[in-house]
Amino acid sequence: MPAQVPRGRPRSFDTEAAVERAMDVFWSRGYHATALPDLLQATKLSRGSLYAAFGDKHSLFLRALDRYIADALTRMDGELAARKDPVDGLRTLLAGYVDRTSGASGRRGCLLVATAMELAGRDTDVDLRIRRFFEAMEVRMAGALSRARDAGKLADGVEPSSAARILVCFVEGLRVVGKTGTTPSASQAVADALIERFIK
C-alpha cells in the first residue's frame, strides 16, 4: 500500500479579508511605497503565511487590484441594471462618482487611476487589468445608452459607444480632480450638464 502524503495545514485566516486589508494599504500608499512590513502589519500575517498564500508582493497587489475592479463593476452592474430606467441608472452612477470624489474619499483618490499613473506602461499584468476595466466600464455605459436610445430618450446624433467613452473619461477625470478638494456641488453640476447633452 503506497504511503499517504501528508496534507498541508489548512489556512487559519480569511484570504479575502487579507486581500481587502492589503488593498487598503496599496490604495493609501501606492505600490512602490508599500513595503512588506506594511502588508504584514495590515494583514496580521507572518511573512511565511503571506508568501504561502499569495506568492509575493506583486501577486498580492494583483489580487488586491482584481478585488477593487470586481467591486467597482459589481456596483456599476447594480446601478445600470436592465430592469432600471437607463437614464436614471446613468444619473445614479454619476452621482456615486461625485460622492466618492468628495471629502476624504476624494482626496484618497482611485486605486485604479493611481495604479495607472504609477505602473502603466511598465507592468504588463497591470496594463491588461486597467485596459479590461475601462473596456468593461465602457460596455456597460454603452449598453445603458443603447437602451435609452431604444426608449426614445437619447438625443439625436448621440452614438452610444462614443458617449460611453466620454463618460468613462469624465468619471475617471473626476477621480483625479477630486484629489484637489473640488466641491460636490460643482462636480454634480458638471455631471448633470453632461447627461443633459445626451438625452432629450
Side-chain angles (χ1 to χ4, degrees), residues 168-183:
V168 169
C169 292
F170 170 71
V171 296
E172 295 306 329
L174 199 61
R175 300 304 297 261
V176 176
V177 174
K179 291 180 71 66
T180 68
T182 185
T183 64

Side-chain angles (χ1 to χ4, degrees), residues 9-36:
R9 180 183 299 177
R11 291 188 185 125
S12 59
F13 62 91
D14 185 333
T15 302
E16 288 306 311
V19 170
E20 184 172 2
R21 289 192 288 266
M23 180 181 73
D24 285 339
V25 177
F26 286 123
W27 194 350
S28 298
R29 300 176 64 89
Y31 177 74
H32 288 302
T34 297
L36 182 60

Side-chain angles (χ1 to χ4, degrees), residues 22-145:
M23 180 181 73
D24 285 339
V25 177
F26 286 123
W27 194 350
S28 298
R29 300 176 64 89
Y31 177 74
H32 288 302
T34 297
L36 182 60
D38 300 322
L39 295 171
L40 297 178
Q41 180 179 10
T43 60
K44 299 179 174 59
L45 297 177
S46 67
R47 183 187 298 261
S49 293
L50 187 143
Y51 279 123
F54 304 110
D56 56 16
K57 171 186 167 180
H58 186 257
S59 297
L60 177 55
F61 176 72
L62 294 179
R63 284 282 297 273
L65 193 60
D66 287 341
R67 170 68 180 270
Y68 185 89
I69 289 170
D71 289 348
L73 293 180
T74 297
R75 181 176 58 245
M76 186 175 290
D77 286 338
E79 293 164 341
L80 301 180
R83 67 181 183 278
K84 297 182 178 180
D85 178 87
V87 175
D88 288 345
L90 288 167
R91 290 188 188 280
T92 298
L93 183 149
L94 293 183
Y97 270 93
V98 168
D99 183 62
R100 289 188 294 277
T101 56
S102 303
S105 296
R107 286 188 292 275
R108 188 184 195 192
C110 170
L111 174 62
L112 200 85
V113 170
T115 298
M117 298 298 291
E118 184 179 7
L119 299 176
R122 296 184 291 277
D123 187 318
T124 55
D125 292 319
V126 167
D127 287 346
L128 179 63
R129 283 164 169 78
I130 292 173
R131 183 173 68 253
R132 286 180 174 173
F133 175 68
F134 287 146
E135 289 172 351
M137 286 182 68
E138 193 171 318
V139 165
R140 285 161 170 76
M141 290 180 180
L145 289 161

Side-chain angles (χ1 to χ4, degrees), residues 139-167:
V139 165
R140 285 161 170 76
M141 290 180 180
L145 289 161
S146 293
R147 294 195 301 275
R149 181 186 58 193
D150 295 343
K153 297 182 177 182
L154 208 61
D156 295 338
V158 174
E159 201 283 313
S161 62
S162 297
R165 176 67 61 86
I166 292 171
L167 288 174

